[in-house]
Amino acid sequence: MKSFVNIVFVLLLASQTTGCAIALFSGAAATTAAVSADRRDLDTQVLDHEIEQKIARAINNEPSLFEQAHVNVVSYNRNVLLVGQATSEFVRNKVLDIAGQNTDLRDIYNEIVIAQPTSAAQRAKDAWLTTKVKTRMLADKELDGHQVKVYTENQQVFLMGLLTKREKKIAVTIARNMDGVEKVIDVIETNEQFASEG
């Protein structure tokens, strides 16, 4: 009986391991597909990630900003979007100074407002709005939703990406027509050469 239990345990463990391996492989395949479909080259994609991490880490490590600012850093094609709240002009300028020290970025879009940081409930609502907008873009047959980076802060939707003028219009329209969205701000770069790729 004991050997039977051991065999069942080994089979169960093997099936769980296989499941993990399949899930890991599927996740890696999906990530690879997203990376290869991106209009940014691989070096720029990696650099955007590094820019976001470095600036966010520098902001979080600055003691004078503790509880004085809630700022998110979004980088796309080496353009940095700063979104969130700062309790004063001084605090906002401090964040801008920190971000500006990164030599890899091309431009900074400052969308930090002077206000108290948003609540956890509001941030959860914003995350849900981002999901709804992104899902709608991915479902649209006239838009490659993978090319649009969507971020929501306090019910304002920010769009970044490399799109044609038509794609930009579709993306902005989708975001504007989503329930719960108060404002859409786009920092999308347009280039008609992308039309020939489709």
Side-chain angles (χ1 to χ4, degrees):
M1 180 68 177
K2 190 174 181 180
S3 61
F4 175 75
V5 171
N6 288 341
I7 291 169
V8 170
F9 176 74
V10 169
L11 289 173
L12 183 62
L13 184 63
S15 69
Q16 293 300 315
T17 305
T18 305
C20 289
I22 291 170
L24 183 63
F25 176 77
S26 300
T31 302
T32 302
V35 167
S36 63
D38 200 306
R39 286 174 179 163
R40 297 170 294 171
D41 60 52
L42 184 57
D43 288 343
T44 304
Q45 292 177 56
V46 171
L47 188 55
D48 279 334
H49 179 73
E50 289 175 355
I51 289 170
E52 287 181 0
Q53 296 299 310
K54 285 178 184 176
I55 295 175
R57 192 165 38 247
I59 292 169
N60 291 334
N61 289 339
E62 176 55 53
S64 66
L65 299 179
F66 185 68
E67 294 186 351
Q68 300 299 311
H70 165 67
V71 177
N72 290 286
V73 183
V74 187
S75 180
Y76 195 94
N77 206 31
R78 294 173 51 216
N79 291 312
V80 170
L81 173 66
L82 299 175
V83 182
Q85 305 80 37
T87 55
S88 68
E89 192 74 35
F90 173 81
V91 172
R92 179 166 62 184
N93 289 339
K94 181 76 174 175
V95 172
L96 285 170
D97 288 344
I98 290 170
Q101 291 172 18
N102 190 301
T103 56
D104 292 320
L105 56 84
R106 291 167 51 209
D107 207 350
I108 297 177
Y109 296 95
N110 174 24
E111 293 293 337
I112 303 170
V113 298
I114 306 300
Q116 290 297 315
T118 54
S119 65
Q122 181 59 55
R123 293 173 201 175
K125 193 183 294 184
D126 289 339
W128 174 235
L129 263 179
T130 294
T131 300
K132 289 199 299 181
V133 171
K134 186 69 175 181
T135 301
R136 176 68 185 82
M137 286 183 182
L138 289 169
D140 193 286
K141 293 179 181 177
E142 296 185 73
L143 173 69
D144 182 356
H146 297 289
Q147 307 303 335
V148 187
K149 194 159 191 173
V150 181
Y151 187 82
T152 307
E153 182 70 30
N154 210 17
Q155 294 178 268
Q156 295 187 352
V157 173
F158 298 86
L159 305 176
M160 300 182 86
L162 297 170
L163 306 175
T164 65
K165 288 180 182 177
R166 176 168 169 70
E167 289 172 330
K168 174 181 174 176
K169 185 176 180 181
I170 294 168
V172 170
T173 301
I174 288 171
R176 280 186 181 149
N177 291 330
M178 186 64 63
D179 285 341
V181 174
E182 290 187 353
K183 187 177 180 182
V184 176
I185 299 158
D186 85 84
V187 286
I188 293 170
E189 293 180 77
T190 58
N191 191 328
E192 293 310 304
Q193 77 175 35
F194 301 130
S196 60
E197 295 175 3

